[in-house]
Amino acid sequence: MTHSLTLTLKLAILSTILAVSYARGAVVPDPHSFSRPDAVSLKHLDLKLTVDFATKTLQGEALWTVDRKDPAAPLLLDTKGLDILAVASDGTGLKYAISEPRPIFGSKLEINLPAGTDKVKVLIRYRTRPDASGLQWVAPEGTAGRKAPFLFSQSQAIHARSWVPCQDTPGVRFTYDAEVKVEPQFRAVMSALSEDARNGSPKGLYRFRQTRPIPSYLLALAVGRLEFESIGPRSGVYAEPETLALAVSEFGDTESMIKAVEARYGPYEWGRYDLLVLPPSFPFGGMENPVVTFATPTILAGDKSMVSLVAHELAHSWSGNLVTNATWHDFWLNEGFTTYVEGRIMEDIYGPQRGEVERRLGYEELLREIAELPPEDQRLLPDFSDRDPDDGVTRIPYEKGRLLLYQMEKRVGREAFDKFLKGWFAAHAWKSVTTDDFVRHYESKLLADHAEALKGLNLRDWFDKPGHPQSAEVPQSDQLAKLQALGGEWAAGKVKTADLGTKAWTLPDWLAFLGATPPVLPLPLMAELDKAADLTAKANSEVAHVWFLRAIRSGYEPADKAIDDYIVRIGRRKLIVPLYKALLETPGGTRRAKVLFEKARPGYHPITSGTVERLLGLPAGTS
Ligand code: BES
Ligand code: ZN
C-alpha cells in the first residue's frame, strides 16, 4: 500500500516535471538517438572533410562546441560504421567508448568531458566506411555524363550518423562551418551558403557556412562533375553539364514560388534557395536540404509537369527546416504541413484547377495506402520506436496530414487558416515541436475563435485511429473524374482509342485515366494506346510508372526492355518498388525480378537496395 502510494506520488511528480519542461519547449526523448541532449547538447560544428573517391571514404574532423547543462554528464553521440581515430579537447586526448552496433541505430559514442567548464570543444577525428548508409558513391556509369563518379549524402531520417558523429535527433539544432577538399575536377555542394560552391574552386577547396541552426538530418553534401547556373535573384541550379540546360528551364518558376510562400506564410529565412540535380539512383524524389534542395533527375520532364516537387521541398523551408518535428514520431508535422503548403503554391502559380487536381490525386493515393497498410500504421501518430523511421515514409503523414489541415481550412476559411499557419511558423521558428505543441497552438489560436465551425473535428481521431474519419470533407476534381470515367469506358471497349484525345493530355490526365483502368488490360488495347501516345518509349517517369505496372500485369511484352532499363537505371523507391511488387505477382516474375535486381544492385543506393532485398526475401547488404 505504502509502496504503491510512493510509486503513484513519484509518477505524479515525474509527469509534472515532464509536462513543465515540455511546455517550455525542452528536449523530448528521441527513441532513435543514443544522445541525451538534456544533459549535454551540440551547438556548433566545425567540419573538415577530405573526399576520396578511390577508397570511397571521407576522412575528417568534427569539432563540436557543446553546451553542458549537467557538468558531470558525458557527451553521448550517435555513430554508425564510423572509424573513430581520436577524440580530444584543447589538445588533450579524451577517454571514449563505442558500444556494440545495433542494426539501423548504429553505435553510441560516449565521451568523457573534462570537469568544470560550461562550454567545451570536442574534436573527433574519424573516417567513414564505403558502405555508409547515408552516402552513395555513384560510379561514372550511374551519372548523366558517365565520365566521373559522384557522391551524395541522404541524412534523413537517421543516416547523418554514418558520415558525421552527431546527436542524430531532430530535437537538437546547431550551426556549422565546413571545409571540404576534393580533387580539382569536382565541385562540392553542402546545405550551407558558399561562394566557392557557386563559382567553383580551382584548387578543390570548398568552404561553407550555415549560420541558421539546423537539425542533423539536414546535413548534406554532394560532390560531382557539377556546374552552376543562376535562375533568379536568390536561386540557381547545380547539375552535370549534360542536364543543366534542361534543369534551368524546368525550374524557371522557382522565384515566383518563393515569393508566393513568403506572401502567405512569412519571409524565406535561409538566404538562397538553389536546386541540385542528382544521378537517377537518388532513392527519393527530393530532399529539402537547407539552401539547396536535392532532386531526382526523373522530374525533368521538359514541361514542368512535376515541379510540385520543387514546391514541396521549398515549402519545407518553413514546415520542417524552420519548424521541425521533435522526433520522427511527429513526422506528419513536417510532411503533412509541407504537402498542404505545396498544394497552395501550385495553386498560386498555376491556377486553382492544378491545386484541385493534385489534392485529389493525393487523396486517392491516400486511399490506396490505407487499403494496404496494417491499421496501426494508418494512424497519423504511429509508433516507430523500435523500427527504422525510413519505413514511416508512407502516404499517411503526407496525405492524411494534409487532409486534416484541409478540414480546418474548409471550416474556418482560407484567410483565417493562412493567418493561423503563419502564426504557427512565427511562434515556433528555429524550434523542434511535438504534436502536443500543435494541439496547444490549435486550441488557443484557431479553436478559440472558431469553436462553432470546428465543432466535431476531433484531432485524436485523426492521430490515433486508422483510416480517416467518415465525416471528413474530401477533395474533388471534375477534370479527374471525367478522365477516370473515360478510363473505365475505354478499358470496357466503349470508347475507341482514336477518340480519346490523348494529344492534349497532361500528367494528371494520364495518371487519372490509366489509374482508372483495371490492372490487367487486353493486349490489343495496350498496343493501340502505345501506338497512339508512344508511352513505352516517350512517357515521362511518372506516367511510365503507371503504364509499366499495367504492362507487367497484362504481360505486354513490347514494353519488357523499357521496363528492365527503367528498373536498372532509376533508384527512386517510389517509382520502382511497386514494379518489383507487380513482377512478383506474375508467373515467372520472381525470377525476372531477381535477375533485374542483381543487375541493378551495384547502382542502387543502400536505402533502395535494402527495401528491394526485404521485398525479394534476399539477405541484406551483399552489394
Ligand atoms: N523529406 C522528404 C524525403 C524523406 C523523408 C527522406 C523521410 C527520408 C526520410 C522529402 O521532402 C519528400 O517528401 N520527398 C518526396 C517528394 C514529394 C514531392 C512528395 C519524395 O521523395 O517522394
Ligand atoms: Zn517532404
Side-chain angles (χ1 to χ4, degrees):
M1 178 73 186
T2 351
H3 183 252
S4 75
L5 243 182
T6 334
L7 189 69
T8 322
L9 201 67
K10 275 186 188 156
L11 281 176
I13 294 168
L14 187 71
S15 63
T16 318
I17 295 171
L18 287 178
V20 169
S21 55
Y22 290 175
R24 285 205 211 108
V27 193
V28 186
D30 179 351
H32 293 110
S33 172
F34 293 113
S35 67
R36 284 287 312 273
D38 50 334
V40 181
S41 68
L42 302 177
K43 290 292 161 208
H44 179 79
L45 167 65
D46 284 289
L47 184 66
K48 284 193 182 139
L49 293 175
T50 303
V51 179
D52 185 4
F53 279 101
T55 57
K56 298 187 179 170
T57 57
L58 303 176
Q59 306 237 20
E61 273 183 21
L63 177 66
W64 281 109
T65 306
V66 310
D67 188 14
R68 304 168 76 176
K69 289 167 203 106
D70 175 351
L75 170 61
L76 303 182
L77 298 180
D78 296 294
T79 69
K80 191 179 171 192
L82 295 181
D83 293 319
I84 304 296
L85 308 174
V87 181
S89 182
D90 255 341
T92 311
L94 297 178
K95 272 209 178 127
Y96 65 93
I98 303 168
S99 70
E100 276 301 305
R102 241 181 100 186
I104 301 162
F105 294 79
S107 304
K108 172 166 75 181
L109 170 60
E110 178 165 348
I111 301 171
N112 284 354
L113 297 177
T117 46
D118 292 356
K119 276 243 161 50
V120 67
K121 287 192 180 194
V122 178
L123 180 74
I124 303 162
R125 270 205 316 119
Y126 69 100
R127 209 170 27 224
T128 64
R129 305 230 180 117
D131 64 353
S133 64
L135 299 175
Q136 188 181 10
W137 299 86
V138 183
E141 310 83 72
T143 67
R146 307 177 71 88
K147 289 193 181 77
F150 198 108
L151 164 69
F152 67 84
S153 70
Q154 170 54 44
S155 298
Q156 197 182 7
I158 55 170
H159 302 285
R161 61 188 72 179
S162 75
W163 66 284
V164 182
C166 61
Q167 293 185 323
D168 202 4
T169 165
V172 171
R173 314 175 82 94
F174 53 86
T175 52
Y176 81 87
D177 290 327
E179 264 180 44
V180 179
K181 181 109 193 50
V182 300
E183 283 170 46
Q185 71 268 33
F186 295 105
R187 191 188 295 245
V189 179
M190 288 192 85
S191 53
L193 295 176
S194 166
E195 283 183 23
D196 295 337
R198 257 175 296 142
N199 300 333
S201 156
K203 292 207 175 118
L205 185 68
Y206 289 85
R207 291 154 301 175
F208 300 88
R209 173 154 284 186
Q210 182 51 271
T211 58
R212 280 75 161 172
I214 61 156
S216 58
Y217 78 92
L218 296 177
L219 275 172
L221 169 69
V223 178
R225 215 177 113 257
L226 289 165
E227 287 182 357
F228 175 82
E229 192 172 324
S230 175
I231 55 170
R234 48 185 155 172
S235 300
V237 178
Y238 295 96
E240 288 182 70
E242 290 76 10
T243 38
L244 189 62
L246 177 59
V248 163
S249 78
E250 201 75 2
F251 299 146
D253 296 330
T254 302
E255 175 63 21
S256 342
M257 288 187 179
I258 306 175
K259 286 214 185 84
V261 202
E262 287 189 309
R264 293 193 184 283
Y265 305 122
Y268 180 74
E269 299 278 7
W270 300 86
R272 295 190 56 84
Y273 180 78
D274 296 323
L275 289 133
L276 183 145
V277 181
L278 289 169
S281 62
F282 184 47
F284 296 97
M287 177 64 212
E288 67 272 28
N289 297 131
V291 177
V292 55
T293 281
F294 283 17
T296 170
T298 63
I299 57 158
L300 302 175
D303 60 0
K304 299 187 180 172
S305 56
M306 289 182 250
V307 294
S308 57
L309 187 134
V310 178
H312 180 96
E313 306 312 336
L314 171 66
H316 272 306
S317 309
W318 287 260
S319 43
N321 302 4
L322 187 63
V323 180
T324 309
N325 53 207
T327 70
W328 299 115
H329 190 63
D330 298 297
F331 187 46
W332 82 277
L333 291 176
N334 273 18
E335 297 301 343
F337 278 64
T338 294
T339 307
Y340 176 83
V341 174
E342 167 200 334
R344 297 297 303 279
I345 300 174
M346 292 308 282
E347 201 171 315
D348 281 343
I349 307 295
Y350 304 105
Q353 199 170 349
R354 180 113 175 222
E356 193 176 280
V357 158
E358 297 204 356
R359 267 198 302 278
R360 175 70 197 186
L361 282 172
Y363 175 65
E364 291 182 6
E365 281 182 16
L366 173 65
L367 294 183
R368 282 195 289 273
E369 191 82 290
I370 287 175
E372 284 200 3
L373 284 177
E376 62 277 16
D377 290 346
Q378 298 172 23
R379 297 172 298 175
L380 216 38
L381 290 182
D383 185 2
F384 268 86
S385 309
D386 291 325
R387 288 198 270 169
D388 187 343
D390 284 352
D391 293 341
V393 191
T394 69
R395 299 327 291 162
I396 301 293
Y398 291 77
E399 294 295 346
K400 190 170 170 180
R402 154 152 76 179
L403 192 60
L404 170 56
L405 299 182
Y406 182 71
Q407 305 308 303
M408 297 173 187
E409 177 213 291
K410 284 283 157 194
R411 285 156 174 262
V412 305
R414 278 200 162 169
E415 206 178 313
F417 190 63
D418 275 350
K419 188 170 152 232
F420 166 72
L421 268 192
K422 187 175 184 177
W424 163 252
F425 295 135
H428 301 88
W430 313 113
K431 294 209 176 82
S432 300
V433 289
T434 63
T435 299
D436 286 346
D437 293 325
F438 174 71
V439 172
R440 268 193 293 273
H441 195 82
Y442 169 80
E443 286 174 352
S444 64
K445 300 287 192 258
L446 203 64
L447 190 59
D449 292 341
H450 302 272
E452 197 49 42
L454 293 165
K455 212 161 158 184
L457 181 64
N458 182 353
L459 297 188
R460 293 304 340 167
D461 285 350
W462 287 79
F463 297 154
D464 307 326
K465 290 190 182 165
H468 71 67
Q470 285 287 309
S471 58
E473 179 165 347
V474 303
Q476 305 289 349
S477 154
D478 289 345
Q479 184 190 336
L480 291 190
K482 271 189 208 129
L483 279 140
Q484 284 165 332
L486 197 60
E489 288 164 12
W490 172 79
K494 292 188 200 140
V495 177
K496 287 211 189 85
T497 306
D499 297 337
L500 288 173
T502 55
K503 290 273 176 294
W505 288 1
T506 58
L507 173 64
D509 299 325
W510 277 109
L511 293 180
F513 174 84
L514 285 175
T517 61
V520 179
L521 283 162
L523 292 177
L525 271 189
M526 293 283 296
E528 262 180 45
L529 191 63
D530 202 3
K531 192 156 173 256
D534 215 359
L535 290 175
T536 299
K538 294 245 176 72
N540 79 36
S541 62
E542 286 209 30
V543 176
H545 168 81
V546 192
W547 172 246
F548 290 161
L549 279 175
R550 298 292 180 286
I552 291 170
R553 295 216 164 95
S554 314
Y556 179 65
E557 287 174 6
D560 279 354
K561 188 173 173 318
I563 293 170
D564 292 359
D565 290 349
Y566 185 96
I567 289 183
V568 173
R569 187 174 55 87
I570 297 178
R572 184 175 175 192
R573 277 199 311 185
K574 195 177 156 191
L575 293 180
I576 58 169
V577 170
L579 297 181
Y580 276 108
K581 281 191 185 151
L583 281 174
L584 294 185
E585 286 162 16
T586 57
T590 305
R591 215 192 117 59
R592 183 170 160 208
K594 287 190 174 161
V595 171
L596 276 175
F597 180 52
E598 275 320 304
K599 197 170 158 202
R601 175 144 59 178
Y604 280 171
H605 187 284
I607 290 180
T608 302
S609 295
T611 306
V612 181
E613 275 156 5
R614 284 195 288 279
L615 187 67
L616 300 181
L618 296 172
T622 41
S623 52

